[in-house]
Amino acid sequence: MQKSYFIFFLFLIITSCGSIRRHNEQQTACIPPEKLKEDVDFAYSKLKEMHPKLYWYISKKDLDYKFDSIKNTINESLTPLQFYFKLQPVISEIREGHLSLRIPSKRITKKEIKTLENKKGMFSRFEYYVKNDRLFIIQNKDSIENIKPGTEILTIDQIPVSDYIKRYKKLISSDGFNTTFQPYFLKDLFFSYYVAEKGYEDRATLETIYNGEKKTYQLTRESKSENDLKQDKENKKRTQEKKINDYIAFSDSYNRNFKFLGKDSTIAYIKVKSFSSDYSEKFYKESFKKIKDAKSPYLIIDIRNNYGGSLEEINNLYSYLSPEPYVLIKPSQVNSKTTPLKTNYFRKSNPFQSIFKTLTYPTFFFAQTFSTYEKGGKFYYKVKPDKKSRPNKDAFNGKVFVLINGGSFSASSIITAKLKNDKRAILVGEETGGANDGTVAGFYSYQTLPNSKIDLPIGLLLVQPNITFTDTKKGVLPDVKVSETMQDIINKKDSQLDWVLQEIGKEKSLNK
């Protein structure tokens, strides 16, 4: 029996290595034009079949024209990556922020992954800021080469950064005609795109400028020291505090934070970087209990740079903010009765998982089927946040301020739009990256283009906050607009939070 298991696992390792090799060979192979045109037609047909609001921000006539036009430009064989850079700009014209082709890239073996884990990142050790077609370093965590915050990167290996940004900008769309999302998302994705194109290199030459002085730096992928490896191991340990606050080992930071600001407990502050749902119920339960016990009259919720996540988490959070029963979102529309069954149930399953999923598929089938219903000739999918919810017993009754910016996307925009509509909070900052009137996400059908093998995840649920729609086709607009500059970030000056604290200070003075 033991020998059989050994042979089976050896088989898995061999087939896994073979799969990586075949995948990487496919990434460099050129695909004939007629096959690429088939992929264009396949992508559009699947979008029309599954996307519940495809023509929200672009007319059918205009989108038909764009898909037809791109086929006319495909006159030669292309690699999957080259094809991606042709097709994704058309997908981005749909202006639905969750909808994007997965960029094709080389896969690496377990051995290569291990090697990378034992080395420091080359570009990930900096924080970046994008403005127009320019890329700046705003934080140098390890003081690499003593590069100062505010330094602009002009070229990478002699290629102008502006060339990369102009190409990458075409790949990114927010929901609708939002004006703030792209720079936030691009600063986070710039080097993901870069590595997909260039691979994991061990060195790079940067030409920079700071205060008018140009300098050239050689970046290398350094090996981690014993202390670094020891710290990595320590960071991975899951303490109770790390669980509740959703610790992120990669950035050595917490996803959720709670504290009181100032010398007393009058101002409570909650920061949520992502609505990951992990241990969120316990976090909010403990945090709002502390707020109630302290009788804090003010609460600041910071969801800047929060790209969204779990509907269940924001529904739970709203239960601590609403003074009366509420419904967070409207019923979620899907294209057809069978749409929820198209979620690739067996996707990314190893042999053991496939066997288990085969046994549990009937349960999945009936759950999805009975969660779908028809009303008024349209189909909807049942989710908990579209039902009436009651306020939590520890719900906060004081004044709420919410900090938002262009990085507040998806679920962040859903809860923000609801708070604004219900006049439950004062929004401070910038227009959110996600739309005021909802988005298409929920769960996905992962389609693979048949010839280029590029993945196209398609959101299946139309998720909209239970509000009176603005029909602006833009993000949630702040009640008080306060912009953040690059110099503010470098100087660690939080102008948006400062505005709120000054406003609270004025109110306190008047109430004395």
Side-chain angles (χ1 to χ4, degrees), residues 219-232:
L219 294 188
T220 58
R221 195 179 294 277
E222 306 168 30
S223 295
K224 291 180 179 178
S225 67
E226 287 297 322
N227 284 337
D228 292 327
L229 294 172
K230 185 179 178 181
Q231 186 62 48
D232 286 348

Side-chain angles (χ1 to χ4, degrees), residues 364-378:
F364 164 80
F365 177 86
F366 286 111
Q368 295 293 78
T369 301
F370 286 115
S371 293
T372 309
Y373 64 97
E374 185 179 1
K375 185 178 180 181
K378 295 180 179 179

Side-chain angles (χ1 to χ4, degrees), residues 140-158:
N140 185 355
K141 303 172 195 174
D142 298 334
S143 300
I144 303 164
E145 298 285 345
N146 292 317
I147 299 174
K148 290 182 171 57
T151 296
E152 180 182 0
I153 304 176
L154 300 175
T155 68
I156 304 173
D157 290 335
Q158 300 184 325

Side-chain angles (χ1 to χ4, degrees), residues 40-41 44 63-73 90:
V40 174
D41 288 336
Y44 195 19
L63 193 55
D64 286 347
Y65 175 78
K66 288 183 181 295
F67 272 99
D68 286 339
S69 295
I70 192 175
K71 288 195 291 184
N72 293 331
T73 69
V90 176

Side-chain angles (χ1 to χ4, degrees), residues 272-307:
V272 186
K273 295 181 181 179
S274 171
F275 293 114
S276 67
S277 80
D278 292 342
Y279 294 93
S280 62
E281 285 191 24
K282 190 163 186 179
F283 171 81
Y284 293 122
K285 182 179 180 180
E286 292 184 357
S287 298
F288 280 94
K289 181 69 167 61
K290 291 174 184 175
I291 295 170
K292 186 176 182 178
D293 290 344
K295 298 180 181 179
S296 306
Y298 300 101
L299 170 62
I300 300 170
I301 300 175
D302 189 347
I303 52 173
R304 291 173 293 181
N305 305 305
N306 181 326
Y307 289 140

Side-chain angles (χ1 to χ4, degrees), residues 20 108-119:
I20 291 172
I108 58 177
T109 64
K110 289 182 179 179
K111 183 179 179 181
E112 290 171 321
I113 292 171
K114 187 67 177 176
T115 299
L116 286 171
E117 286 178 344
N118 289 328
K119 291 187 175 182

Side-chain angles (χ1 to χ4, degrees), residues 334 339-341 343 368 381 383 441-446 458-461:
V334 291
T339 296
L341 295 172
T343 55
Q368 295 293 78
Y381 185 83
V383 292
F443 46 79
Y444 294 80
S445 178
Y446 292 84
I458 302 174
L460 302 180
L461 291 187

Side-chain angles (χ1 to χ4, degrees), residues 261 267-269 298-301 304 399-404 426-429 480 482 494-508:
L261 301 181
I267 306 172
Y269 173 88
Y298 300 101
L299 170 62
I300 300 170
I301 300 175
R304 291 173 293 181
K399 194 165 187 176
V400 181
F401 294 89
V402 179
L403 302 179
I404 55 173
I426 296 171
L427 311 184
V428 180
V480 181
V482 181
D494 194 334
S495 53
Q496 293 155 344
L497 178 59
D498 287 347
W499 185 92
V500 174
L501 295 176
Q502 287 170 13
E503 187 69 12
I504 292 173
K506 290 177 187 176
E507 287 192 12
K508 284 183 174 181

